[in-house]
């Protein structure tokens, strides 16, 4: 066994109206080569103009990652020739990025881990290339799309930790609203640095570039651990190199060694003055940060006694988590709200393929529905029915219960009659019960519920049943 | 001929007549001067009431003009027609000025001899056996030929001021950022400045007033200073303190002329004192300039790769296509500069070469700022001597350690406003004198230059 050390570099496209240095529209999924300006294409004489919203979002994510925010941030040029880079250089940050020395708390299984963030910087995306047999096509819609690059310290030790981190990071970014961070649309891409060693010193670093899904990150890491372990077992040396992960055979292949590594000849971007960021602005952004998923999960488990699984499900989307929190703030049992969301609501949203903000039952209505149950006005069984009617007829729970005359039968006489009837009809079951088969009670209560068509209050029914059986 | 004289001519003969005459002379002199890459064959009459409305002007061929060929005098862009207007061109159009033509430059504004453009050598219209230098060669020549009262150039080291001086006209490099660079083909972005050439300081002020101002397309453009330079040039200069740098003036071939200029300054009530600067530092100006400008230019011109811009050469991989396109497209001189720029930026050289050059730049600027703490302006001969014969040019450009031939770069290092005005003639050729002030003191620069210009012209006429 070897010590595995992993560092990640994550590229994430920011959600802004226009590109990071131009007025070109930031929407590269449109028809090819329609969303561009002369600046994106690097026409002679053009100059970059920094997008303020991209700056705000870069700072926002830096804050979410507990980073130190530079108050004098600078841009640099990274020079290399490739057809997807129209200017022949990429504007990025190498000396004074927006955020440095940050960290992100994550859950790895039941354990917590602090992942150290080296820096977060803002840069521009390249054009996208489609390769065909004997030609390639360029789409410049993506050229100049704002990109943040988040670089971790080499502090992750397994594929599980790497994936937990990526999932947490993706969630955090989504919570801030900086990006949808969808890797299936290429909005989030990852470079992996990995080294193995026998002792505490770091081994030789191998880099894997541009892995496009979390699943592939996991596969790539696991393949590399295996490959490198086998080499080390045989007493061979690991080459410092850049490798490419092939998702079809799930193996990595050498691209270039350290000696051939590109010298990007970084130097200060002369067209963008040093950007002074005032403390007040940073504070304003910090104050606008929402409560982040790590904290929410902790709170849901410790304060509301939810299971880790449910807590994780609830925080997956900020809007769902917000819905949960708002509903309980109106005065509902967290456990009940959680159950309603994780079973009925998420199922419904999924089936209808809609978002929670398009969902008819707003927090007030869910609160209303749950209150009806808690006040024993309707039964849980009835509540499910009411829920369906509400969505079908776009009416509030109260309106539905009124119109359809749905209510828990709290009339004791009526309920007593049903109980009597059930006792009468099930002498054998009662015998079994009296002979110690206590679970038969549930069956009998179930029968009461059935006869009442679900209108009976199960607690009351149980109460009456017990009274009769024990008399 | 200045703007006012053109206006008079237009009033007498009509715009069409005046435009056609300028076109005619420009075309006639293409053979011996070669000032233009493109001469326009039509114009649109303007109803603007600006001072330059319907006045013809020439624009250096490295300003983006939508729909009009813009070559930067490079084979790489010999067929390039821009899709957007530079801010400078846009403002001139809005003011109703009439574009007479796009002028020849040294390839991509690098070189400074007027001999490296893809359409051939530009000669000095005063004496075509002589150099006009560069890189704004054609713009200087056009004004000198009298086909337009003003022209636009760009100045990265001395590219407006030196040719203006050799042509006996006024050449002004305002404070860095005073005029938007948007649409000016970048040579070295931290040094590039739009410059104005004209036959008088007054005309330079009129045009600067039109071009200056904050531009949302250029983050380095300065906020508006809300001054009208034209109104400020007549201010009394009495009591202003000028300095000249002894180490630079020591090299002057025409000391008696410079002394006469000093006397004129003193007659105007200004004081002129000698200051000193470390000769070693001054000798490093050239090297620092070369290092920084080559580093920036190699990156700035990386878009000319044959993929989107420039003729695409053959090749079986993208790397090969880019390599071959650049090898075939650029002249040897340009390639040399790119290689130099690339070399100084390499990881292993950057500290020693590029960063050291930046440090030298800083030191020179600090030293110059110290002078500006005590003095209003620095006055120096623009060049060592009159425009050299073209065959001597090679010798002159090898004169790298001449501190007088390279001092104009200091204005670009610090972003200072700097202007050259014609002083006296020698052997029938003009000499120039330069005034440089602290940053943002464009009005003061023009004010001193105007007063001195008027004074010197008065003396000439006596």
């Amino acid at each position: 066994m070897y010590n595995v050390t992993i560092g990640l570099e994550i590229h994430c496209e920011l959600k802004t109206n226009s590109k990071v240095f131009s007025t070109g529209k930031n929407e590269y999924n449109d028809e090819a080569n329609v969303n561009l300006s002369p600046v994106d294409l690097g026409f002679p004489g053009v100059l970059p103009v920094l997008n303020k919203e991209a700056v705000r979002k870069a700072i926002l994510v830096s804050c979410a990652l507990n980073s130190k925010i530079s108050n004098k941030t600078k841009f640099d040029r990274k020079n290399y020739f490739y057809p997807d880079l129209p200017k022949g250089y990429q504007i990025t940050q190498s000396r004074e990025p927006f955020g440095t020395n940050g960290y992100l708390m994550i859950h790895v299984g039941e354990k917590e881990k602090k992942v150290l963030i080296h820096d977060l910087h803002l840069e521009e995306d390249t054009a996208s290339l489609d390769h065909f047999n004997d030609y390639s096509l360029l789409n410049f819609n993506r050229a100049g799309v704002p990109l943040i690059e988040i670089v971790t310290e080499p502090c992750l030790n397994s594929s599980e930790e790497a994936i937990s981190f990526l999932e947490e990071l993706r969630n955090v970014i989504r919570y801030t609203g900086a990006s949808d961070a969808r890797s299936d649309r290429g909005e989030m891409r990852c470079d992996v640095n990995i080294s193995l060693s026998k002792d505490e010193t770091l081994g030789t670093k191998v880099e894997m570039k541009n892995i496009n899904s979390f699943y592939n990150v996991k596969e790539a890491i696991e393949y590399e651990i295996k490959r490198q372990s086998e080499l080390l077992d045989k007493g061979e040396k690991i080459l410092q190199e850049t490798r490419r992960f092939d998702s079809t055979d799930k193996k990595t292949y050498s691209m270039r060694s350290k000696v051939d590594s590109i010298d990007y000849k970084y130097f200060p971007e002369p067209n963008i003055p040093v950007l002074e960021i005032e403390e007040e602005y940073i504070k304003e952004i910090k104050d606008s940060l929402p409560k982040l998923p790590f904290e929410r999960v902790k709170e849901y488990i410790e304060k509301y006694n939810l299971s880790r699984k449910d807590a994780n499900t609830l925080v997956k989307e900020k809007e769902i988590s917000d819905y949960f929190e708002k509903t309980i703030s109106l005065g509902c049992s967290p456990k009940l709200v959680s159950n309603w969301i994780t079973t009925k609501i998420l199922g419904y949203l999924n089936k209808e393929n809609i978002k929670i903000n398009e969902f008819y039952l707003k927090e007030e209505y869910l609160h209303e529905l749950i209150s009806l149950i808690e006040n024993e006005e309707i039964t849980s069984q009835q509540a499910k029915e009411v829920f369906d009617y509400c969505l079908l007829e776009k009416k509030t729970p109260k309106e539905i219960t009124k119109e359809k005359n749905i209510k828990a039968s709290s009339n004791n006489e009526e309920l007593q009659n049903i109980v009597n009837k059930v006792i009468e009809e099930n002498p054998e079951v009662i015998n079994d019960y009296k002979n110690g088969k206590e679970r038969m009670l549930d069956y009998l209560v179930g029968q009461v519920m059935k006869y009442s068509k679900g209108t009976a209050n199960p607690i009351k029914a149980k109460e009456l049943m017990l009274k009769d059986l024990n008399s | 001929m200045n703007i006012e004289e053109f206006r008079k001519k237009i009033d007498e003969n009509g715009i069409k007549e005046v435009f056609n005459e300028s076109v005619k002379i420009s075309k006639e002199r293409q053979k011996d001067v070669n000032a233009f890459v493109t001469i326009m064959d039509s114009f649109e009459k303007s109803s603007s009431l600006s001072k330059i409305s319907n006045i013809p002007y020439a624009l250096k061929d490295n300003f983006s003009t939508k729909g009009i060929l813009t070559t930067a005098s490079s084979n790489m862009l010999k067929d390039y027609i821009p899709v957007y207007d530079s801010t400078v061109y846009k403002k001139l159009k809005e003011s109703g000025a009439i574009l007479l033509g796009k002028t020849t430059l040294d390839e991509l504004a690098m070189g400074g001899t007027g001999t490296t453009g893809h359409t051939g050598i530009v000669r000095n219209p005063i004496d075509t056996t002589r150099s006009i230098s560069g890189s704004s060669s054609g713009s200087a020549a056009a004004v000198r030929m009298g086909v337009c009262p003003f022209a636009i150039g760009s100045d990265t080291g001395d590219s407006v001021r030196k040719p203006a001086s050799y042509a006996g006209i006024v050449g002004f490099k305002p404070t860095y950022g005073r005029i938007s660079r948007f649409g000016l083909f970048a040579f070295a972005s931290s040094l590039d400045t739009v410059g104005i050439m004209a036959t008088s300081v007054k005309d330079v002020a009129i045009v600067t007033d039109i071009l200056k101002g904050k531009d949302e397309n250029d983050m380095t453009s300065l906020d508006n200073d809300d001054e009208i330079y034209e109104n400020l040039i007549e201010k009394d200069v009495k009591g202003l303190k000028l300095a000249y740098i002894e180490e630079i003036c020591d090299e002057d071939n025409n000391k008696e002329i410079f002394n006469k200029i000093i006397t004129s300054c003193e007659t105007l009530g200004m004081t002129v004192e000698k200051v000193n600067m470390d000769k070693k530092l001054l000798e490093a100006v050239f090297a620092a300039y070369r290092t920084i400008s080559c580093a920036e230019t190699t990156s700035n011109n990386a878009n000319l790769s044959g993929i989107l811009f420039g003729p695409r050469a053959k090749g079986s991989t993208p790397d090969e296509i880019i390599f071959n396109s650049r090898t075939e497209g650029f002249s040897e001189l340009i390639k040399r500069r790119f290689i130099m720029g690339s070399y100084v930026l390499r990881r292993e050289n950057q500290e020693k070469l590029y960063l050291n050059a930046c440090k030298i730049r800083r030191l020179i600027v600090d030293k110059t700022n110290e002078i500006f703490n005590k003095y209003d302006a620095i006055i120096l001969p623009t060049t060592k001597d009159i425009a050299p014969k073209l065959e001597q040019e090679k010798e002159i450009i090898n004169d790298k350690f001449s501190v007088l031939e390279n001092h104009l770069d200091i204005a670009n290092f610090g972003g200072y406003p700097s202007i050259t005005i014609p002083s006296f003639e020698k052997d029938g050729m003009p000499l120039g004198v330069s005034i440089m002030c602290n940053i943002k003191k464009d009005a003061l620069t023009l004010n001193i230059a105007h007063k001195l210009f008027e004074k010197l012209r008065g003396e000439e006429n006596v």
Side-chain angles (χ1 to χ4, degrees), chain A residues 38-50 77 79-83 85-89 138 140 261-273 275, chain B residues 64 77 80 83-84 176 181-185 189-190 216-220 295-296 299-300 302-305 307-309 318-319 322 326 342 345-348 350 354:
Chain A
V39 176
D40 306 327
L41 290 178
F43 271 76
V46 295
L47 296 171
V49 179
L50 186 57
R77 283 190 192 175
N79 297 285
Y80 64 97
F81 286 105
Y82 203 66
L85 193 66
K87 294 192 295 289
Y89 60 84
L138 280 159
F140 289 92
S261 79
I262 304 165
D263 180 352
Y264 292 113
K265 305 188 182 80
Y266 287 98
F267 76 97
E269 166 58 62
N271 294 317
I272 304 178
L275 187 65
Chain B
S64 195
L77 291 167
Y80 172 65
V83 298
Y84 76 100
Y176 180 81
R181 289 181 292 121
F182 182 70
L184 165 64
F185 295 7
S189 314
S190 75
E216 59 174 27
N217 288 317
D218 178 359
M219 290 186 81
T220 65
E296 290 185 26
S299 172
N300 278 334
N303 59 339
L304 308 179
S305 64
I307 300 293
L308 284 181
F309 304 101
D319 278 352
I322 293 172
R326 289 175 67 85
S342 205
L345 284 176
R346 283 173 74 148
R347 209 180 282 136
E348 65 269 29
Q350 187 161 127
Y354 174 72

Side-chain angles (χ1 to χ4, degrees), chain A residues 52 55-56 59 277-285:
Chain A
K52 287 200 180 96
V55 168
R56 197 186 70 82
I59 298 174
I277 304 166
E278 287 171 15
E279 281 303 326
E280 209 165 304
Y281 184 62
I282 297 171
K283 191 179 172 299
E284 204 177 289
I285 289 178

Side-chain angles (χ1 to χ4, degrees), chain B residues 101-333:
Chain B
K102 303 286 298 281
T103 60
T104 318
L105 55 147
D106 277 299
E107 182 173 0
L108 300 167
M110 287 180 250
T113 60
T115 62
T116 65
H118 76 306
T119 56
I121 297 171
V122 185
R123 293 166 186 277
N124 196 320
I126 307 168
D127 172 355
T128 54
T129 65
R130 289 185 184 271
S131 162
I132 188 149
S133 82
S135 64
S136 308
S137 324
S139 286
V143 172
R144 181 66 210 205
M145 283 162 10
V147 293
C148 51
F150 73 92
I152 308 299
S154 62
D155 189 311
T156 306
D158 55 18
S159 282
V160 158
R161 290 161 291 159
K162 198 168 183 185
S165 173
Y166 282 173
I169 59 170
V170 180
F172 178 44
K173 180 206 97 69
T175 302
Y176 180 81
R178 181 62 75 207
I179 298 175
S180 166
R181 289 181 292 121
F182 182 70
L184 165 64
F185 295 7
F187 163 16
S189 314
S190 75
L191 304 163
D192 289 347
T193 321
V194 175
I196 294 127
M197 296 151 133
T199 59
S200 70
V201 179
K202 189 182 171 198
D203 283 0
V204 162
I206 288 171
V207 177
T208 310
D209 279 330
I210 285 166
L211 296 182
K212 73 193 173 86
K214 181 84 190 162
D215 180 9
E216 59 174 27
N217 288 317
D218 178 359
M219 290 186 81
T220 65
S221 62
L222 293 172
D223 287 333
N224 299 333
D225 58 2
D226 297 322
E227 287 178 327
I228 298 168
Y229 297 159
E230 189 197 348
N231 295 346
L232 296 170
I233 55 173
E234 293 289 354
K235 271 175 70 177
D236 197 348
V237 292
K238 208 166 148 187
L240 291 180
K241 289 160 77 180
L242 308 188
Y244 67 88
I245 299 168
E246 187 181 27
E247 289 74 11
I248 292 174
C249 292
D250 273 353
E251 284 186 2
D252 192 1
N253 284 356
N254 306 287
K255 289 198 180 74
E256 67 297 342
I257 286 180
F258 189 66
N259 287 336
K260 263 167 80 183
I261 297 167
I262 289 177
T263 309
S264 298
C265 290
E266 286 165 347
T267 319
L268 287 166
M270 298 187 279
T271 61
V272 185
E273 285 175 28
K274 176 181 83 181
V275 293
N276 292 90
M277 212 158 158
D278 187 347
K279 187 91 188 279
K280 279 215 175 82
L281 206 53
L282 289 168
E283 279 170 349
V285 168
F286 174 80
Y289 173 77
R290 252 307 146 89
T291 306
I292 294 166
S293 67
C294 286
E296 290 185 26
T297 200
T298 185
S299 172
N300 278 334
N301 287 294
N303 59 339
L304 308 179
S305 64
I307 300 293
L308 284 181
F309 304 101
R312 190 181 295 181
K314 287 198 162 41
S316 54
T317 64
D319 278 352
E320 247 178 66
I321 292 171
I322 293 172
F323 184 89
N324 292 340
S325 301
R326 289 175 67 85
T327 304
E328 290 165 25
F330 293 116
S331 71
E332 291 310 310
L333 179 120

Side-chain angles (χ1 to χ4, degrees), chain A residues 95-134:
Chain A
R95 295 162 302 152
E96 195 70 50
F98 278 101
T100 48
N101 288 324
Y103 67 89
L104 182 65
M105 292 302 299
I106 63 168
H107 289 108
V108 186
E110 293 291 322
K111 275 188 267 168
E112 288 182 4
K113 185 177 170 95
K114 186 177 188 175
V115 180
L116 302 176
I117 310 289
H118 180 272
D119 78 276
L120 179 150
H121 56 264
L122 180 63
E123 57 188 29
E124 56 183 331
D125 211 343
T126 57
S128 46
L129 265 165
D130 278 321
H131 298 290
F132 298 90
N133 252 352
D134 54 352

